[in-house]
């Protein structure tokens, strides 16, 4: 069907918005089908529905398809069911209120009865929300063409506005009644005369008047008692200005039971104004608070009394309110803390509490406060002098007579001394516990009458049980080693009698291991001297015992070892008292241990050795140094034998001497041997001494020989020479040529003998003469020598070249001799064809490295070098030339005794020096002399 | 008699040496008057008894019986009155140590008795010259022919 056909359905014409919607709706998909096929009765009903301004709604057909008109549509609001429910099944369209709607519809459909509902609340979804909507409506049936009920027509009016208006009306009615029946006294004054318009019973009660006496009369006429109490001015002001007036606990004199009484009132005057703003009257409300005020005054009075009492109390008192903060401190408190009430107010008091105690105190206070419980705590409070004192406080919640919680009151006491004492006690106890714990003692307490034993965990441990086991006294008793049981029982018996318990016993653990314990205790008695309890400690001494045993075993071993030794072994304590001797000592001396301890060990020492022995021994003991001494011990047969005694201090790890262990070894044989050796050495020494003396004597003789040589030998020789000379001079012509020759040879021999004697003398003098060292310039020394040799030097045309020179520490006359000899030597062994050139130089020299002459390193030497250009010598003779009478050349070629260089060497040796000769035949000789420069 | 006759004293125990010395002094012809003593005692005695006419020079042998030459020298040098007396040691030995000591003790010269007569004459002549030239520089302490 097309749209044009819709217009053919004339019943759908008009009808405003809903008419349009119905026309445009595609009905073919609904159970009603195309409108052209709709029954006449439906068409007629829709025509009525669309053309009435009365809100109508129609459910039609078995599906109860929904129709409604423009008037109804307003009730659906916006954003609601409209327009979705048009043509929709009722069940779907009104799903939200179906339980309300369905019975109404059914009633019409099934019973064919019309319904009437007035101002029924049916909340519906509209305007985007569920709204409370009140309806007055009627459901009636619509019959179809065949007279069968085919639909339900709902004619309705939304009465929400009406209902709400009525509700407001009800409220205002109630308001009036409220005024009239309010527990608060109320009244309304109208006009400038303040005529009482409305007054409720409460107000009349306050006024002490009846309604008749006051209603419709100016207030001060009806209530003349109120005059002259300042109310007139107040009422006028409120009336004139429109400003509200509030009075709190205002005292007023009003009539009561025929007389005037004092009342306390809270009241409010509120201006009533017309729409134009002019005052038309006053609404007054009042509350009689006389009882409260009087009660409070009483409380205030009692509080004052309380404060007076509190302030005069010697204890510190504070009070807090329900907000936990404190608002009262008594005088004692303020004096104690030295603060003012303002300082302590609220939570200012917390400043005075020791910082270490504050959080704990607050926690206690707050917890108690919240639980409304009493509390007790101790804390340190700062006194006015700055010292913190221990304070105890008892806090109790406060309640009014009617059981209203008001806060806390606390009383504090200075318990400083007490606390300190307690703390000390606690400290002592802790200390004791620490000591007990550290000493690993187990504690026990035995109650004699009950036979009950209390014990510490350590006690259990010592008995080999874990800490939390429960044991009876008998259980422990069973653990005591059977062999020690008697000992234990005896000790207990003794303890009961004497009060002191002490014994050591073995205990057997569950694993059958045996342990040692040491028990100490004290018995306490009652007034009748009956033992009540025994308090004591036990100690695990297993280790100590084991150690002791080991010690004993070791001691045993030591004794066994010592006794098996042939040497004497002994020990001494730290004082030096000998306290042990091995068997050897007894065997040797023939004394028993008792005899030795009776007479003392010194008795076996030879009387001659005793003093020294004691002296040495005490020195060793005093200084802790090793003792080493030789002395004689008396043997059992009365003979004395030499012993070498040695003792070493035994020290602990701290180096303290614990004991001395000594040995004495028989050294008689060695001693005899040594004595023999000594005797022999002595003899030998004496022989040597004799030899020495002989030698000395010989030396003296030798010296006197030198003396004799110098004078007694030289003398005759010189005379031989002189007289021979005289003969040649005076008697030469009387001699035959042969005789003259012999004579001259005799003279030469005599001359030669003189040279020998002189050189020998010089040589021997270098040995024996006194040696006085002087530091002098080598240059000066050389000058002297040069002067001595002047003529020879000139004669031989010799050049003496002196280079660098240093000072030298020598025996001057010896060194002069040395230089003379060396220079003389060079001149003597000069080459015949060239004049001798002798170079001399000296310098200080220290050798730091190995050198060709193996001179010592690091020592300062004066090195003198004498070099010539003479005939030299073969290097192989560099040692031999220094030997006495060693000549490399015949005396016919080179005169000389062969002693000159020996003298040189001797002098160098006298100076702890070294001389090294270097020579090359035909080239020259060099003498290097090193004289120690450090003396 | 020459007014400035030089007086020389010889202290010598050996008669051979005395004779040789006298011969030598005679031969050098210096006109000296020689007196001889034979030991230390005699020497000291002589000197104490001739205070007015002290000899100019004393030739002193070291090796003499009794008081020896060194002792005599020390004794003489201790007395200021003998300051003008020159002491010339006349000895066989030659020991540098002793020579040094003699010089320190105030001897004027040291002469080692030469082995040849001619040399003897020479050294005596040197010594006499030295005495005469006093206090001129005497040169070497030891006089050699």
């Amino acid at each position: 069907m097309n749209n044009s056909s819709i217009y053919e359905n004339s019943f759908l014409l008009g009808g405003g918005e809903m008419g349009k919607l119905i026309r445009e709706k595609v009905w073919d998909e609904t159970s009603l089908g195309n409108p052209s096929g709709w029954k006449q009765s439906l068409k007629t009903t829709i025509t009525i529905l669309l053309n009435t301004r009365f809100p109508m709604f129609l459910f039609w057909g078995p599906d109860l398809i929904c129709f409604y008109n423009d008037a109804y549509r307003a009730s659906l609001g916006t954003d609601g069911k409209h327009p979705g429910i048009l043509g929709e099944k009722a069940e779907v369209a009104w799903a939200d209120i179906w339980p309300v709607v369905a019975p109404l519809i059914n009633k019409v459909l099934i019973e064919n009865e019309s319904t009437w509902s007035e101002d029924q609340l049916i909340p519906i979804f509209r305007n985007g929300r569920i709204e409370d909507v009140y309806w007055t409506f009627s459901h009636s049936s619509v019959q179809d063409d065949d007279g069968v009920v085919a639909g339900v027509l709902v004619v309705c009016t939304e009465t929400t506005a009406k209902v709400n208006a009525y509700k407001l009306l009800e409220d205002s009615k109630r308001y009036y009644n409220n005024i009239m029946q309010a527990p608060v006294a109320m009244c309304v004054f109208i006009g400038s005369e303040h005529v009482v318009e409305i007054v409720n019973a409460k107000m009349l009660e306050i006024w002490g008047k009846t309604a008749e006496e006051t209603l419709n009369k100016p207030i001060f006429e009806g209530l003349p008692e109120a005059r002259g109490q300042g109310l007139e001015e107040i009422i006028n002001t409120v009336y004139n200005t429109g400003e509200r007036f509030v009075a709190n606990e205002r005292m007023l004199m009003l009539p009561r039971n025929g007389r005037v009484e004092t009342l306390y009132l809270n009241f409010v005057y509120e201006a009533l104004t017309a729409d134009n703003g002019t005052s038309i009257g006053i609404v007054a409300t009042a509350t009689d608070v006389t009882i409260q005020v009087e009660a409070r005054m009483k409380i205030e009075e009692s509080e004052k009394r309380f404060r007076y009492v509190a302030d005069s109390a010697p204890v510190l008192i504070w009070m807090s309110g329900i907000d936990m903060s404190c608002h009262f401190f008594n005088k004692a408190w303020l004096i104690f803390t030295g603060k003012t009430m303002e300082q302590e107010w609220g939570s200012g008091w917390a400043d005075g509490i020791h910082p270490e105690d504050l959080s704990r105190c607050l926690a206690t206070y707050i917890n108690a406060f919240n639980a409304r419980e009493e509390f007790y705590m101790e804390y340190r409070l700062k006194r006015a002098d700055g010292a913190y004192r221990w304070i105890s406080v008892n806090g109790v919640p406060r309640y009014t007579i009617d059981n209203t919680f008001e806060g806390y009151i606390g009383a504090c006491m200075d318990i400083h001394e007490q606390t300190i004492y307690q703390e000390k006690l606690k400290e002592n106890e802790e200390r004791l516990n620490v000591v007990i714990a550290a000493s690993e003692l187990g504690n026990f307490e035995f109650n004699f009458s009950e036979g009950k034993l209390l014990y510490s965990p350590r006690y259990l441990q010592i008995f080999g049980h874990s800490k939390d086991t429960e044991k009876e006294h008998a259980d422990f008793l069973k653990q005591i080693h059977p062999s020690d049981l008697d000992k234990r029982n005896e000790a207990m018996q003794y303890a009961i009698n004497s009060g002191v318990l002490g014994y050591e016993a073995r205990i057997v653990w569950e694993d059958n291991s045996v342990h040692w314990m040491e028990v100490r205790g004290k018995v306490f008695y009652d007034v009748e001297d009956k033992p009540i309890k025994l308090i004591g400690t036990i100690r695990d001494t297993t280790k100590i015992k084991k150690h002791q045993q080991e010690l004993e075993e070791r001691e045993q071993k030591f004794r066994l070892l010592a006794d098996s030794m042939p040497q004497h072994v002994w020990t001494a304590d730290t004082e030096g008292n000998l306290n042990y001797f091995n068997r050897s000592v007894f065997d040797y001396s023939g004394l028993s241990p008792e005899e030795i301890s009776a007479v003392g060990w010194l008795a076996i020492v030879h009387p001659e050795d005793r003093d020294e022995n004691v002296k040495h021994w005490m020195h060793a003991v005093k200084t802790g140094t090793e003792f080493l001494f030789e002395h004689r011990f008396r043997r059992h047969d009365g003979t004395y034998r030499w012993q070498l005694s040695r003792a070493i201090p035994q020290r602990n790890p701290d180096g303290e001497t614990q004991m001395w262990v000594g040995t004495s070894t028989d050294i008689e044989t060695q001693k005899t041997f040594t004595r023999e050796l000594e005797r022999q050495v002595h003899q030998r020494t004496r022989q040597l001494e004799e030899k020495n003396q002989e030698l000395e004597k010989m030396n003296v003789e030798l010296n006197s020989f030198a003396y004799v040589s110098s004078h007694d030998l030289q003398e005759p020789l010189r005379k031989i020479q002189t007289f021979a000379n005289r003969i040649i001079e005076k008697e030469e012509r009387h001699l035959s040529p042969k005789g003259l020759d012999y004579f001259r040879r005799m003279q030469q021999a005599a001359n030669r003998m003189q040279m020998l004697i002189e050189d020998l003398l010089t040589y021997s003098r270098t040995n024996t003469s006194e040696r006085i060292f002087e530091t002098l310039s080598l240059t000066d020394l050389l000058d002297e020598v040069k002067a001595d040799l002047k003529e020879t030097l000139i004669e031989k045309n010799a050049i003496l070249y002196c280079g660098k020179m240093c000072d030298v520490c020598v025996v001057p006359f010896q060194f002069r001799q040395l230089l003379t000899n060396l220079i003389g030597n060079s001149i003597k062994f000069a080459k015949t064809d060239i004049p001798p050139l002798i170079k001399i130089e000296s310098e200080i020299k220290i050798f730091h490295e190995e050198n060709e002459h193996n001179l010592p390193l690091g020592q300062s030497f004066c090195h003198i070098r004498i070099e010539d250009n003479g005939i030299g010598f073969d290097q192989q003779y560099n040692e031999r030339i220094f030997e006495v009478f060693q000549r490399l050349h015949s005396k016919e070629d080179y005169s000389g005794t062969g002693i000159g260089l020996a003298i040189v060497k001797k002098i160098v040796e006298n100076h702890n020096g070294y001389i090294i000769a270097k020579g090359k035949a035909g080239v020259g000789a060099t003498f290097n002399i090193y004289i120690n420069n450090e003396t | 008699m020459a007014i400035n006759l030089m007086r020389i004293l010889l202290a010598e125990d050996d008669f051979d040496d005395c004779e040789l010395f006298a011969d030598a002094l005679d031969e050098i012809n210096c006109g000296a008057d020689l007196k001889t003593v034979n030991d230390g005692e005699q020497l000291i005695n002589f000197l104490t008894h001739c205070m007015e006419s002290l000899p100019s020079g004393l030739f002193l042998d070291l090796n003499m019986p009794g008081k020896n030459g060194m002792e005599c020298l020390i004794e003489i040098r201790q007395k200021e009155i003998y300051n003008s007396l020159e002491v010339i040691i006349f000895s066989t030995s030659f020991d540098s140590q002793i020579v040094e000591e003699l010089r320190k003790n105030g001897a004027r010269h040291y002469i080692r008795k030469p082995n040849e007569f001619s040399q003897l004459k020479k050294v005596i002549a040197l010594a006499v010259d030295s005495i005469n030239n006093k206090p001129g520089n005497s040169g070497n302490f030891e006089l050699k022919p």
Side-chain angles (χ1 to χ4, degrees):
Chain A
M1 185 176 271
N2 57 28
N3 274 347
S4 64
S5 68
I6 295 167
Y7 296 100
E8 285 166 19
N9 300 316
S10 56
F11 72 95
L12 290 173
L13 292 173
E17 185 198 352
M18 290 314 295
K20 192 170 174 252
L21 284 171
I22 293 168
R23 280 191 301 272
E24 285 171 2
K25 173 113 179 143
V26 181
W27 292 98
D28 300 60
E29 289 165 9
T30 68
S31 59
L32 293 179
N34 194 282
S36 57
W38 292 359
K39 289 188 177 167
Q40 189 54 51
S41 52
L42 174 61
K43 288 179 185 171
T44 308
T45 311
I46 287 173
T47 307
I48 295 166
L49 184 135
L50 287 178
N51 288 300
T52 183
R53 301 288 293 269
F54 214 75
M56 280 190 184
F57 199 97
L58 176 68
F59 300 104
W60 189 264
D63 287 340
L64 297 170
I65 300 298
C66 296
F67 295 92
Y68 56 95
N69 63 1
D70 278 7
Y72 188 90
R73 185 248 165 280
S75 294
L76 294 174
T78 53
D79 298 332
K81 296 183 189 295
H82 175 75
I85 60 166
L86 178 67
E88 189 58 78
K89 292 176 184 172
E91 211 174 336
V92 177
W94 295 98
D96 49 346
I97 51 166
W98 191 238
V100 179
V101 178
L104 295 170
I105 294 173
N106 280 338
K107 192 163 184 165
V108 175
L109 285 177
I110 296 160
E111 295 171 25
N112 199 13
E113 233 176 72
S114 292
T115 67
W116 172 257
S117 300
E118 206 173 298
D119 296 333
Q120 175 131 13
L121 174 68
I122 301 175
I124 64 164
F125 187 79
R126 68 178 186 190
N127 303 325
R129 60 194 162 97
I130 300 284
E131 283 189 8
D132 280 349
V133 182
Y134 291 88
W135 303 91
T136 294
F137 55 88
S138 168
H139 287 57
S140 56
S141 61
V142 182
Q143 292 172 353
D144 68 3
D145 300 356
D146 308 322
V148 178
V149 178
V152 176
L153 180 68
V154 183
V155 181
C156 58
T157 306
E158 186 185 338
T159 56
T160 308
K162 189 192 98 183
V163 169
N164 285 345
Y166 183 76
K167 269 186 177 168
L168 281 175
L169 191 68
E170 285 283 302
D171 286 346
S172 91
K173 240 191 232 166
R174 208 178 295 134
Y175 178 65
Y176 176 79
N177 284 337
N178 281 351
I179 290 181
M180 295 308 286
Q181 289 156 21
V184 180
M186 286 188 89
C187 67
V188 178
F189 306 127
I190 298 293
S192 57
E193 290 297 304
H194 317 304
V195 175
V196 177
E197 178 80 15
I198 305 172
V199 61
N200 67 1
K202 278 265 178 200
M203 189 61 100
L204 289 170
E205 201 179 296
I206 289 170
W207 288 345
K209 296 286 177 183
T210 61
E212 289 73 37
E213 285 172 312
T214 52
L215 204 60
N216 298 322
K217 288 180 189 166
I219 178 63
F220 294 108
E221 213 169 280
L223 185 62
E225 293 86 347
R227 288 182 196 168
Q229 297 185 44
L231 294 173
E232 296 94 325
E233 291 79 6
I234 295 166
I235 285 184
N236 286 334
T237 308
V238 171
Y239 183 79
N240 292 334
T241 62
E243 275 173 18
R244 175 185 157 100
F245 177 81
V246 180
N248 260 321
E249 296 181 5
R250 191 178 179 101
M251 191 179 81
L252 288 173
M253 309 297 275
L254 289 170
R256 277 288 180 284
N257 307 323
R259 53 195 181 96
V260 173
E261 281 188 3
T262 304
L263 296 177
Y264 293 92
L265 295 179
N266 290 345
F267 61 87
V268 178
Y269 291 154
E270 191 116 34
L272 273 174
T273 52
D275 294 341
N276 60 9
T278 55
S279 290
I280 52 168
I282 287 167
V283 178
T285 55
T287 318
D288 185 349
V289 292
T290 309
I291 294 164
Q292 287 94 315
V293 169
E294 280 177 350
R296 206 188 63 228
M297 282 171 124
K298 261 187 213 159
I299 288 170
E300 275 173 4
E301 185 62 27
S302 87
E303 178 121 342
K304 220 182 271 170
R305 266 204 305 276
F306 160 74
R307 274 171 202 240
Y308 176 75
V309 172
D311 278 347
S312 56
V315 293
L316 318 184
I317 294 169
W318 53 263
M319 276 203 297
S320 64
I322 52 169
D323 58 350
M324 288 193 193
S325 69
C326 292
H327 50 65
F328 173 75
F329 297 92
N330 74 342
K331 204 170 268 171
W333 176 288
L334 297 176
I335 289 168
F336 183 89
T337 57
K339 303 236 180 106
T340 62
M341 187 72 89
E342 286 69 35
Q343 284 174 310
E344 296 291 73
W345 190 268
S347 55
W349 53 273
D351 291 346
I353 294 184
H354 196 287
E356 286 173 16
D357 301 337
L358 185 59
S359 58
R360 173 174 59 82
C361 286
L362 283 177
T364 308
Y365 175 54
I366 291 166
N367 286 339
F369 197 99
N370 289 335
R372 306 286 189 259
E373 282 170 352
E374 276 190 35
F375 66 87
Y376 173 85
M377 62 186 180
E378 290 172 6
Y379 59 87
R380 281 163 286 180
L381 182 65
K382 201 187 214 163
R383 206 162 54 181
D385 62 2
Y388 281 103
R389 304 281 295 174
W390 277 100
I391 297 291
S392 76
V393 59
N394 242 331
V396 185
R398 294 190 291 132
Y399 292 95
T400 58
I401 305 151
D402 53 353
N403 233 11
T404 315
F405 173 67
E406 275 196 319
Y408 270 72
I409 180 164
C412 311
M413 273 170 63
D414 186 330
I415 51 155
H416 196 75
E417 267 71 37
Q418 195 184 331
T419 307
I420 294 296
Y421 177 69
Q422 273 175 358
E423 283 206 337
K424 271 199 181 136
L425 211 70
K426 211 164 108 188
E427 202 177 292
N428 280 339
E429 197 176 309
E430 273 168 12
R431 210 175 286 157
L432 182 68
N433 284 338
V434 167
V435 168
I436 289 174
S439 63
E440 305 225 296
L441 292 175
N443 304 351
F444 67 90
E445 190 176 320
F446 180 68
N447 191 312
F448 283 102
S449 56
E450 295 168 28
K452 216 174 155 190
L453 183 75
L454 297 174
Y455 46 82
S456 69
R458 176 67 191 149
Y459 186 92
L460 273 172
Q461 262 188 343
I462 291 172
F463 273 87
H465 305 296
S466 63
K467 279 182 185 176
D468 42 5
T469 11
E470 301 251 337
K471 292 282 170 187
E472 293 294 321
H473 182 222
D475 297 331
F476 292 117
L477 267 182
K478 270 183 222 155
Q479 274 187 259
I480 291 181
H481 196 284
S483 314
D484 292 341
L485 209 51
D486 286 347
K487 188 159 82 174
R488 179 259 169 203
N489 292 339
E490 272 171 37
M492 277 303 286
Q493 197 51 53
Y494 177 80
I496 288 165
N497 294 335
S498 69
V500 180
L501 176 69
Y503 68 94
E504 246 185 315
R506 278 163 292 177
I507 44 179
V508 184
W509 284 16
E510 278 167 358
D511 60 3
N512 283 329
S513 59
V514 174
H515 299 258
W516 279 93
M517 67 163 178
E518 184 191 58
V519 185
R520 291 276 177 274
K522 189 166 162 38
V523 179
F524 294 84
Y525 304 89
D526 63 7
V527 281
E528 291 165 14
D529 264 357
K530 266 188 174 165
I532 328 167
K533 59 180 175 182
L534 166 65
I535 297 180
T537 59
I538 64 167
R539 188 160 69 109
D540 186 339
T541 54
T542 313
K543 266 189 200 161
I544 299 165
K545 275 282 171 191
K546 209 169 139 193
H547 188 66
Q548 247 170 29
Q549 267 174 3
E550 276 172 2
L551 264 181
E552 275 164 22
E553 278 168 26
R554 228 178 290 163
E555 174 96 6
Q556 197 75 32
K557 242 182 256 174
F558 166 75
R559 277 168 200 267
L560 198 71
L561 190 71
D563 281 344
S564 65
M565 279 168 77
Q567 273 177 312
H568 308 316
V569 179
W570 42 273
T571 64
D573 63 17
T574 51
E575 304 286 310
N577 304 311
L578 272 67
N579 49 17
Y580 166 79
F581 303 94
N582 71 341
R583 185 182 302 279
S584 161
V585 176
F586 305 118
D587 290 349
Y588 175 86
S589 63
L591 296 173
S592 67
E594 294 72 30
E595 283 170 321
I596 282 200
S597 62
V599 298
W601 58 275
L602 208 56
I604 64 168
V605 178
H606 194 287
E608 283 174 16
D609 300 338
R610 283 179 196 166
D611 286 352
E612 271 299 288
N613 188 344
V614 170
K615 208 170 109 189
H616 270 78
W617 173 234
M618 288 330 285
H619 176 79
V621 168
K622 217 161 127 191
T623 58
T625 49
E626 192 183 313
F627 169 74
L628 198 63
F629 193 66
E630 282 182 18
H631 44 181
R632 286 158 286 181
F633 285 174
R634 193 183 60 224
R635 205 160 59 174
H636 51 82
D637 60 3
T639 58
Y640 283 95
R641 288 180 68 81
W642 280 98
Q643 308 286 330
L644 173 67
S645 290
R646 179 199 290 266
I648 298 165
Q650 305 296 302
R651 301 180 203 275
N652 64 9
D654 295 335
E656 290 161 356
T657 302
Q658 299 294 296
M659 64 179 294
W660 289 80
V661 175
T663 57
S664 299
T665 314
D666 192 307
I667 52 161
E668 182 63 28
T669 321
Q670 284 118 292
K671 199 80 182 168
T672 315
F673 179 74
T674 311
R675 269 205 300 267
E676 176 57 23
L677 208 70
E678 264 174 21
R679 197 190 57 75
Q680 282 180 11
V681 167
H682 188 71
Q683 195 182 8
R684 191 90 193 102
T685 308
R686 209 172 57 225
Q687 284 172 349
L688 276 171
E689 270 171 11
E690 280 165 10
K691 267 273 184 296
N692 222 17
Q693 278 168 2
E694 258 170 58
L695 270 172
E696 266 173 33
K697 212 165 115 195
M698 279 164 74
N699 219 16
V700 171
E701 277 164 15
L702 211 70
N703 276 342
S704 59
F705 166 75
Y707 188 80
V708 167
S709 310
S710 68
H711 291 283
D712 302 1
L713 269 181
Q714 272 187 334
E715 203 75 35
L717 179 61
R718 186 173 46 79
K719 279 187 192 161
I720 293 168
Q721 287 173 305
T722 310
F723 286 117
N725 202 245
R726 290 291 274 167
I727 290 167
I728 292 291
E729 274 175 23
K730 291 198 165 176
E731 311 295 331
E732 192 182 358
R733 56 187 184 274
H734 303 296
L735 286 171
S736 67
K738 190 85 181 165
L740 196 60
D741 180 44
Y742 289 152
F743 199 85
R744 289 206 187 282
R745 282 207 230 161
M746 182 193 76
Q747 269 190 307
Q748 276 171 15
N751 287 346
R752 196 165 157 63
M753 184 173 176
Q754 187 206 349
M755 274 169 69
L756 266 171
I757 289 170
E758 279 176 8
D759 279 355
L760 270 174
L761 267 175
T762 311
Y763 185 74
S764 73
R765 243 196 323 264
T766 54
N767 274 338
T768 57
S769 57
E770 206 181 353
R771 285 166 208 161
I772 298 161
F773 284 83
E774 284 174 42
T775 299
L776 35 88
S777 156
L778 206 56
T779 314
D780 291 351
L781 213 56
L782 265 168
D783 283 346
E784 286 176 34
V785 174
K786 247 198 276 188
D788 286 351
L789 295 172
K790 198 168 138 193
E791 278 153 40
T792 325
L793 288 169
I794 291 165
E795 184 195 331
K796 299 281 181 179
N797 232 348
I799 299 162
L800 190 60
Y801 170 79
C802 297
K804 234 173 15 175
M805 285 297 159
C806 64
D807 288 357
V808 63
C809 180
V810 292
V811 182
F813 82 89
Q814 287 198 357
F815 220 70
R816 210 178 290 127
Q817 180 84 55
L818 175 141
L819 291 171
T820 308
N821 287 13
L822 281 175
I823 293 165
N825 203 60
S826 288
I827 292 168
K828 193 196 288 174
F829 296 103
K831 285 180 190 156
T832 45
D833 49 347
I834 45 169
L837 172 65
I838 304 156
K839 275 197 275 185
I840 303 177
E841 54 192 10
S842 70
E843 60 177 343
I844 304 296
K845 197 158 191 173
I846 300 170
F847 288 99
H848 295 291
E849 286 166 24
E850 291 285 307
N851 50 80
E852 54 175 328
H853 312 309
N854 284 326
L855 294 174
L857 307 184
Q859 188 180 327
S860 176
F861 286 108
C862 174
H863 174 206
I864 302 159
R865 190 166 174 279
I866 299 169
E867 185 185 356
D868 66 48
N869 59 347
I871 59 166
F873 60 89
D874 195 315
Q875 186 62 24
Q876 62 173 301
Y877 301 121
N878 71 330
E879 295 285 348
R880 198 195 283 185
I881 57 171
F882 293 114
E883 287 170 24
V884 183
F885 299 133
Q886 286 300 323
R887 300 171 54 98
L888 299 181
H889 308 279
S890 75
K891 54 183 179 240
E892 275 70 32
D893 293 339
Y894 295 95
S895 65
T897 54
I899 300 175
L901 285 180
I903 291 170
V904 166
K905 191 168 168 77
K906 197 91 210 163
I907 289 170
V908 170
E909 281 169 359
N910 286 349
H911 287 80
N912 295 319
Y914 304 86
I915 181 161
I916 298 111
K918 267 186 180 175
K920 201 168 177 192
V923 175
T926 306
F927 291 90
N928 287 294
I929 301 163
Y930 298 92
I931 302 294
N932 187 0
N933 198 38
E934 287 177 350
T935 38
Chain B
M1 276 268 261
I3 300 159
N4 281 333
L5 190 66
M6 188 188 199
R7 277 194 296 274
I8 284 174
L9 181 65
L10 172 68
E12 172 67 76
D13 62 323
D14 188 299
F15 292 106
D16 288 339
D17 278 337
C18 285
E19 198 190 313
L20 284 168
F21 188 90
D23 287 354
L25 189 66
D26 194 42
E27 279 184 31
I28 59 171
N29 209 5
C30 63
D33 173 30
L34 178 71
K35 280 271 186 313
T36 301
V37 289
N38 295 112
D39 57 42
E41 295 291 325
Q42 282 182 23
L43 170 65
I44 299 303
N45 270 333
F46 179 85
L47 285 176
T48 19
H49 288 102
C50 65
M51 300 293 282
E52 296 86 37
S53 54
L54 264 185
S56 313
L58 163 66
F59 286 81
L60 177 62
D61 182 23
L62 282 182
N63 188 23
M64 287 187 296
K67 203 172 274 179
N68 68 24
M70 184 70 85
E71 286 167 316
C72 292
L73 174 69
I74 292 165
E75 202 172 323
I76 288 162
R77 281 293 160 247
Q78 275 171 354
K79 294 183 178 163
E80 278 184 28
I81 44 166
Y82 303 132
N83 274 0
S84 61
L85 177 66
E86 297 289 355
V87 181
I88 294 122
I89 306 297
F90 197 64
S91 173
T92 316
S93 70
F94 182 80
D95 186 319
S96 54
Q97 257 180 304
I98 292 168
V99 172
E100 185 61 29
E101 205 174 328
L102 290 165
R103 190 170 61 154
K104 278 182 194 160
N105 284 331
R108 169 86 172 171
H109 288 296
Y110 181 89
I111 295 172
R112 199 174 171 201
K113 292 176 184 168
N115 300 339
E116 285 180 32
F117 187 74
S118 59
Q119 287 181 337
L120 181 64
K121 286 200 289 191
K122 263 189 211 170
V123 286
I124 291 171
L126 282 172
V128 169
D129 282 353
S130 179
I131 295 163
N132 281 337
N133 291 339
K134 67 176 170 185
N137 73 49
S138 55
N140 292 337
F141 177 64
E142 189 191 349
L143 293 179
K144 286 180 180 174

